[in-house]
């Protein structure tokens, strides 16, 4: 194997000897257009890294879950399972590094830094990429300045989460109490409000299916990630009569009440923080270069391999969260 890039995470943690072992055991393989690299339920024996080309990951329903570009690897999640969950298909002629699972597992056992990458859960990976909580707060302020309402119910949700800044605070409390009583007697209202969490689903095809064949690979990070989390959390908070207005505080309270499992609450909090930070950085970069301010539209081609991997992880968490919200409000049968 020639010219393997050991500067990328997590291979930059390997010792010189470990790098030599990996190089010796790795093959270069070629797949033609639309060739199946991995079929769902195949036994796991290889980890792939793309040298050239593009690969798509597909679930049982045919939805494209992710696209992999040069330097991306797949499927690290499967290294500790018996078989692959999804299929991986070459979108175009693709050249790949094929690394034996046995070698990767040996390196994981020998090198704690290398193993940390594979054992870290999604929340930990996303958290490590967030500069700090102060930047998260800045991202929140930036989000508020460019907020746009997607639905008439949004104003209702904003009112429910309002805080009194002057005057008689008891008046707002009385109105909120009256509103809670109204919601208790109108389950349909809550279901209609919660339904908006799914309003940007693209007919089951997903974002990655849409960008195939396009020259510009831009995604609306607010529609695909931030809005479903903020609105879904708001809907759950309404149902649980949680008075907190900060999304992160609402998620924590929902977890304390047992309305969101602890791991999902951690994952969705870190996913939201990562998405907000990505959006903030995109907006600040546009301002720096005097470009049109469109912070929601992220060009995935400009992201690093690690950033694309984390974005994919964040969107997977959002998908899990949307499913949870839909289950809580029986939206699957609505």
């Amino acid at each position: 194997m020639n010219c393997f890039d050991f500067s990328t995470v997590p291979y930059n943690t390997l010792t010189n000897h470990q790098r030599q072992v990996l190089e010796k055991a790795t093959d270069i393989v070629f797949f033609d257009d639309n060739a199946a690299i991995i079929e769902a339920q195949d036994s796991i024996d290889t980890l792939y890294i793309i040298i050239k080309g593009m690969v798509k990951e597909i679930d049982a329903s045919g939805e494209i879950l992710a696209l992999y570009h040069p330097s991306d690897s797949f499927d690290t999640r499967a290294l500790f399972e018996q078989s692959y969950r999804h299929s991986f298909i070459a979108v175009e002629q693709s050249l790949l590094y094929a690394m034996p699972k046995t070698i990767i597992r040996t390196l994981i056992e020998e090198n704690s830094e290398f193993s940390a990458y594979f054992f870290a859960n999604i929340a930990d990976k996303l958290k490590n990429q967030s500069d700090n909580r102060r930047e998260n707060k800045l991202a929140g302020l930036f989000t508020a300045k460019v907020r746009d309402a997607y639905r008439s119910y949004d104003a209702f949700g904003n009112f429910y989460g309002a805080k009194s800044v002057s005057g008689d605070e008891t008046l707002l409390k009385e109105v909120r109490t009256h509103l809670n009583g109204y919601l208790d007697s109108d389950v349909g209202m809550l279901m209609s409000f919660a339904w908006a969490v799914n309003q940007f689903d693209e007919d089951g095809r997903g974002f990655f299916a849409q960008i195939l064949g396009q020259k510009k690979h831009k995604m609306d990070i607010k529609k695909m990630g931030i809005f479903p989390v903020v609105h879904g959390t708001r809907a759950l908070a309404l149902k649980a009569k949680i008075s907190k207005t900060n999304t992160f505080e609402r998620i924590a309270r929902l977890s304390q009440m047992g309305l969101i499992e602890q791991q999902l609450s951690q994952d969705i909090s870190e996913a939201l923080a990562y998405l907000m930070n990505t959006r903030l950085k995109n907006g600040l970069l546009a301002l720096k270069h005097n470009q049109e301010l469109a912070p929601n539209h992220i060009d995935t081609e400009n992201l690093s391999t690690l950033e694309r991997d984390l974005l994919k992880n964040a969107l997977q968490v959002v998908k899990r969260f949307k499913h949870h919200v839909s289950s809580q409000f029986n939206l699957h049968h609505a």
Side-chain angles (χ1 to χ4, degrees):
M1 181 178 69
N2 297 319
C3 302
F4 184 85
D5 184 4
F6 282 106
S7 66
T8 60
V9 177
Y11 304 98
N12 58 349
T13 65
L14 297 177
T15 65
N16 289 333
H17 173 68
Q18 290 169 340
R19 294 181 183 188
Q20 292 173 6
V21 170
L22 182 59
E23 282 185 326
K24 185 176 180 180
T26 300
D27 290 327
I28 295 179
V29 293
F30 171 81
F31 292 90
D32 210 342
D33 295 352
N34 300 314
I37 301 171
I38 297 171
E39 295 281 5
Q41 306 308 316
D42 280 354
S43 59
I44 300 167
D45 56 12
T46 306
L47 178 68
Y48 294 97
I49 296 180
I50 299 178
I51 303 172
K52 182 180 180 180
M54 183 188 300
V55 174
K56 59 184 177 182
E57 179 180 355
I58 302 177
D59 67 11
S61 69
E63 180 180 354
I64 299 176
L65 304 177
L67 292 177
Y68 297 86
H69 303 80
S71 297
D72 292 345
S73 62
F74 62 92
D75 181 16
T76 56
R77 295 162 297 175
L79 285 173
F80 306 96
E81 300 177 4
Q82 296 300 315
S83 61
Y84 295 102
R85 297 181 184 180
H86 304 136
S87 298
F88 295 80
I89 310 296
V91 175
E92 57 193 26
Q93 292 186 338
S94 298
L95 201 62
L96 315 174
Y97 290 126
M99 302 182 292
K101 171 185 174 181
T102 53
I103 297 297
I104 298 297
R105 291 290 296 268
T106 298
L107 294 175
I108 287 173
E109 293 173 3
E110 294 178 351
N111 189 314
S112 59
E113 288 185 78
F114 186 71
S115 66
Y117 174 83
F118 296 97
F119 284 112
N121 59 39
I122 290 176
D124 290 336
K125 288 183 179 180
L126 294 171
K127 185 176 182 179
N128 288 338
Q129 287 301 307
S130 298
D131 292 337
N132 51 50
R133 285 295 178 183
R134 181 180 179 183
E135 185 175 6
N136 292 344
K137 293 178 180 178
L138 286 174
L141 291 173
F142 188 74
T143 300
K145 287 183 180 296
V146 295
R147 180 189 299 118
D148 56 323
Y150 284 111
R151 185 174 168 83
S152 59
Y153 286 117
D154 202 45
F156 168 74
N158 286 333
F159 170 76
Y160 189 86
K163 289 184 178 181
S164 176
V165 294
S166 64
D168 189 351
E169 186 176 351
T170 60
L171 294 176
L172 182 60
K173 291 181 179 179
E174 289 177 6
V175 174
R176 188 177 285 121
T177 299
H178 177 76
L179 184 58
N180 282 331
Y182 175 74
L183 290 173
D184 286 338
S185 62
D186 191 348
V187 177
M189 176 65 179
L190 268 178
M191 287 183 64
S192 297
F193 180 77
W195 176 87
V197 75
N198 294 317
Q199 69 176 314
F200 296 115
D201 287 352
E202 303 294 342
D203 300 323
R205 295 179 66 238
F207 164 73
F208 295 106
Q210 296 177 55
I211 69 173
L212 279 178
Q214 298 180 6
K215 292 183 178 180
K216 294 185 178 181
H217 295 182
K218 288 191 176 183
M219 64 168 287
D220 190 321
I221 198 170
K222 184 172 184 179
K223 287 183 178 181
M224 291 190 61
I226 296 173
F227 174 77
V229 176
V230 172
H231 189 81
T233 301
R234 183 185 296 155
L236 292 172
L238 277 170
K239 183 179 181 181
K241 299 181 176 62
I242 294 173
S243 59
K244 296 182 181 299
T245 57
N246 178 277
T247 300
F248 294 102
E249 292 178 354
R250 282 173 169 171
I251 293 172
R253 181 58 181 150
L254 287 165
S255 179
Q256 292 170 359
M257 297 173 67
L259 300 177
I260 301 180
E261 65 177 20
Q262 184 177 3
Q263 188 61 60
L264 179 57
S265 71
Q266 293 175 356
D267 288 349
I268 200 62
S269 291
E270 295 303 336
L272 178 60
Y274 179 76
L275 292 170
M276 292 173 72
N277 281 333
T278 300
R279 183 179 186 273
L280 172 62
K281 292 174 183 176
N282 191 53
L284 294 177
L285 187 63
L287 290 174
K288 180 180 179 181
H289 296 287
N290 295 317
Q291 299 172 343
E292 180 184 358
L293 185 60
N296 291 329
H297 299 105
I298 307 297
D299 190 340
T300 58
E301 287 291 284
N302 290 337
L303 299 178
S304 68
T305 296
L306 179 58
E307 287 171 334
R308 281 199 301 269
D309 186 49
L310 291 172
L311 179 60
K312 180 189 67 175
N313 287 336
L315 293 178
Q316 288 174 344
V317 172
V318 172
K319 186 175 182 179
R320 282 167 48 204
F321 180 70
K322 289 168 63 177
H323 185 273
H324 176 74
V325 174
S326 295
S327 297
Q328 289 294 308
F329 292 96
N330 296 313
L331 301 181
H332 296 303
H333 308 289

